Amino acid sequence: MAPRSKNKFALFFIAAAVVLVALYVAFHFEFALQTLLSAKMGRLAANAAPIVHVLQLILLALLAYLVVRAFNVFVFGLVFRFRRGFEAPTLVRNIFTIIAFTALFFIIFSVMFPDVNLGALFTTSAIFGVILGLALQDTLGNFFSGISLQADRPFQVGDVISVGAEKHTGVVEEITWRAVKIRTFQNHVVLISNSTAAREPIEVCPRENLNARLVFFNTLYSDSPAKTIHVVREAVREADNVSQKITPIVRIRNLGDNGVDYEVKYWLNDYAKYNDTDALVRQRIWYAFRRAKLNFAYPTRTLLVERTPKPGMRPGDESAIVERLAAVDIFAPLSPEETAMLAQAASSHVFAPGETVIRGGDPGSSMFVVHNGRVNVQISENGRARNVATLSEGAFFGEMALFTGEPRTASVVAIEETEVLEISHEAMKRVFDNNPDLVESLSHIIAERRQGLAAREELSGSKRDESAGILSSIKRFFGMK
Ligand code: CMP
């Protein structure tokens, strides 16, 4: 037990013992006391008995006060703490003390002075009431606002609240009959009178609630959103005091002047520590950016000397594209020069997860190679999309429409952030003009894929027939003999 509460207990017991002894003396030796007083008071001897009665009344009132205090400490301090985990608000304790004490006093008074009508004494003094009301206008206003706050229970001790236009924010420490006491995050105590608290808007972040926070950051326009969102989400979810119950949300807030503006929304275990947690989240983002080679955007003015790059291409991309195309099986028969020519003509496009690259039924005059990422090939079955294949880096699609001029046979949708290289009809025609043998190997591949589709659609026809038909249609479409 803390020394202060030890002292309080000792004081309480001493006071109780003194009052009890005094009461014993006042009642047991009542007659002797009266005789003693009347002997001492001479002419006023007749008042001895009432004086002893008043003395007894005062002692009983003191005892009542001590009993109420003891009850108060026991019920609101210990039982509340034990049953609910926190002490009862001071306001509740005070109201209880006042009511219990007044009731006991009335009982004792009417037992000791049955002839005096206490009720009449108070109710008849209307002027007394008016004076008291005016003098205590503010105090009573606070008192009743305090009572309505208690009845409403918009917040409790331990909750974080923000009050009024000045946004006083802190942890509620106490709700007294006059004011709400909050401790700010600078460890200052702010007292907000109950009437102000009842009038002003209050933002409450309850202790037992999963409260969320928003932290803002930005990246350069060149940094990929899908990567940024993944990296930041993983970095933040591991931070201390970030709730594991809900995964943080990272999303684009704005396309700003200096870069892409993001916000990360996360939920806290202990909201009272949000300043530290916000700081930790920012720190984690910084380190995660560093590891993932992402860049914060800050106000910069960069002069770029543009050397007419191909649309969608970054410096250094071209050699990677040549390598990628050289590894695609249908382009294996091409010479390095022809591959380089194709790479020159290819243009790169980036798709976000879930975006459609090509849509089944649309006309199309280009094919694609998956440079980075993965896509799903989907056909429509009873109005529902069904995956027929998943293609990853180095795979190609869209060749059927390109080579035959027919509409797209399927839709292709990016699974993750995906970069594709688009090869146009003209680029392909130049390659065919250089290398007519390529048409034959391509026609086999197209025939194979068509059979895959046909099997699903229960179409008949042999692969050999398909392949021969496709060969002639490619030749026709590309104006070859
Ligand atoms: P195209 O018809 O131009 O557009 C849709 C593309 O999806 C198609 O060309 C093929 O490249 C591809 N595709 C269709 N069916 C399959 C399949 N069964 N396996 C792999 N890719 C396919």
Side-chain angles (χ1 to χ4, degrees):
M1 198 185 291
R4 264 184 74 175
S5 51
K6 244 185 195 171
N7 282 348
K8 271 188 179 173
F9 265 96
L11 210 68
F12 176 82
F13 282 117
I14 291 169
V18 169
V19 170
L20 283 174
V21 170
L23 269 172
Y24 176 77
V25 171
F27 278 95
H28 201 260
F29 299 103
E30 185 179 353
F31 191 67
L33 270 175
Q34 281 181 15
T35 328
L36 189 76
L37 270 178
S38 43
K40 295 255 176 207
M41 290 169 76
R43 263 189 318 118
L44 299 169
N47 290 333
I51 288 178
V52 172
H53 268 116
V54 168
L55 180 73
Q56 286 172 338
L57 177 73
I58 291 171
L59 287 172
L60 280 171
L62 277 175
L63 185 68
Y65 175 73
L66 288 173
V67 168
V68 170
R69 280 299 298 267
F71 190 79
N72 195 329
V73 168
F74 180 73
V75 173
F76 293 116
L78 301 182
V79 175
F80 251 76
R81 192 185 283 251
F82 184 63
R83 300 283 300 267
R84 299 202 184 175
F86 62 92
E87 282 189 25
T90 315
L91 186 67
V92 174
R93 304 170 74 147
N94 288 348
I95 292 174
F96 170 78
T97 309
I98 291 169
I99 293 175
F101 181 70
T102 317
L104 279 178
F105 184 80
F106 267 78
I107 293 168
I108 295 166
F109 192 94
S110 42
V111 169
M112 297 206 57
F113 300 97
D115 308 334
V116 182
N117 185 351
L118 249 188
L121 202 72
F122 278 99
T123 47
T124 48
S125 54
I127 296 173
F128 172 76
V130 171
I131 294 171
L132 202 70
L134 284 175
L136 297 179
Q137 207 175 24
D138 283 353
T139 317
L140 287 177
N142 282 328
F143 180 75
F144 287 111
S145 303
I147 291 176
S148 76
L149 275 181
Q150 283 303 323
D152 238 14
R153 287 207 154 269
F155 51 79
Q156 293 186 5
V157 173
D159 292 351
V160 175
I161 61 168
S162 277
V163 186
E166 297 195 16
K167 283 262 162 214
H168 291 299
T169 305
V171 183
V172 178
E173 279 207 333
E174 210 178 355
I175 307 164
T176 67
W177 58 272
R178 200 189 76 74
V180 178
K181 185 169 153 192
I182 60 174
R183 190 167 290 272
T184 68
F185 296 112
Q186 288 74 45
N187 204 22
H188 303 157
V189 172
V190 176
L191 289 166
I192 298 146
S193 69
N194 286 342
S195 41
T196 310
R199 209 175 36 239
E200 299 280 343
I202 306 176
E203 186 182 335
V204 183
C205 306
R207 209 168 41 151
E208 307 297 344
N209 185 46
L210 271 182
N211 299 295
R213 291 282 300 169
L214 289 175
V215 169
F216 305 119
F217 65 95
N218 60 11
T219 65
L220 292 182
Y221 271 106
S222 50
D223 291 330
S224 130
K227 179 176 171 186
T228 307
I229 288 169
H230 175 74
V231 165
V232 172
R233 194 196 301 124
E234 292 309 306
V236 172
R237 74 196 300 178
E238 296 298 318
D240 272 359
N241 199 27
V242 171
S243 171
Q244 300 295 313
K245 290 185 191 147
I246 309 179
T247 309
I249 295 172
V250 184
R251 56 196 174 199
I252 296 178
R253 257 177 73 228
N254 186 30
L255 300 174
D257 287 345
N258 303 307
V260 184
D261 298 330
Y262 290 86
E263 66 186 13
V264 49
K265 181 176 184 182
Y266 71 94
W267 284 261
L268 291 111
N269 291 326
D270 180 358
Y271 189 73
K273 292 189 186 144
Y274 72 74
N275 278 322
D276 290 343
T277 315
D278 279 1
L280 183 64
V281 162
R282 291 188 194 104
Q283 194 195 64
R284 289 288 167 95
I285 293 175
W286 190 92
Y287 282 106
F289 265 39
R290 182 118 179 185
R291 285 193 300 275
K293 306 212 168 12
L294 293 168
N295 306 283
F296 289 105
Y298 40 84
T300 44
R301 289 285 173 271
T302 312
L303 280 183
L304 295 176
V305 181
E306 197 168 304
R307 297 215 178 117
T308 56
K310 256 189 322 129
M313 294 268 176
R314 291 183 298 270
D317 279 354
E318 260 170 59
S319 57
I321 291 173
V322 173
E323 260 177 57
R324 170 68 67 218
L325 295 184
V328 177
D329 47 5
I330 51 165
F331 299 135
L334 297 185
S335 69
E337 293 75 34
E338 286 167 338
T339 315
M341 203 170 82
L342 204 60
Q344 269 285 320
S347 48
S348 135
H349 309 283
V350 180
F351 289 85
E355 266 194 299
T356 303
V357 184
I358 54 177
R359 193 165 272 112
D362 282 358
S365 59
S366 56
M367 67 170 283
F368 301 83
V369 173
V370 182
H371 194 22
N372 295 300
R374 279 179 317 137
V375 294
N376 270 335
V377 181
Q378 299 178 339
I379 54 170
S380 171
E381 250 180 27
N382 304 328
R384 288 249 204 101
R386 206 169 83 78
N387 285 347
V388 292
T390 298
L391 308 176
S392 48
E393 287 164 14
F396 62 92
F397 60 90
E399 77 294 343
M400 295 190 185
L402 168 67
F403 295 139
T404 60
E406 288 168 13
R408 300 285 187 200
T409 53
S411 295
V412 177
V413 178
I415 301 173
E416 54 201 56
E417 187 181 84
T418 301
E419 183 177 2
V420 294
L421 305 172
E422 184 174 11
I423 298 164
S424 64
H425 182 272
E426 296 76 50
M428 213 56 226
K429 181 160 170 48
R430 253 175 281 146
V431 172
F432 283 153
D433 289 346
N434 260 357
N435 198 338
D437 293 344
L438 197 62
V439 180
E440 192 153 348
S441 60
L442 269 173
S443 59
H444 289 304
I445 292 167
I446 296 172
E448 245 172 54
R449 284 195 171 174
R450 280 227 167 148
Q451 285 217 323
L453 286 175
R456 282 185 180 87
E457 287 164 17
E458 289 172 350
L459 292 178
S460 55
S462 78
K463 185 179 160 193
R464 183 179 290 276
D465 292 352
E466 274 276 307
S467 173
I470 292 167
L471 183 61
S472 60
S473 90
I474 295 179
K475 284 188 169 165
R476 214 176 28 253
F477 191 53
F478 279 81
M480 299 162 75
K481 283 183 215 117

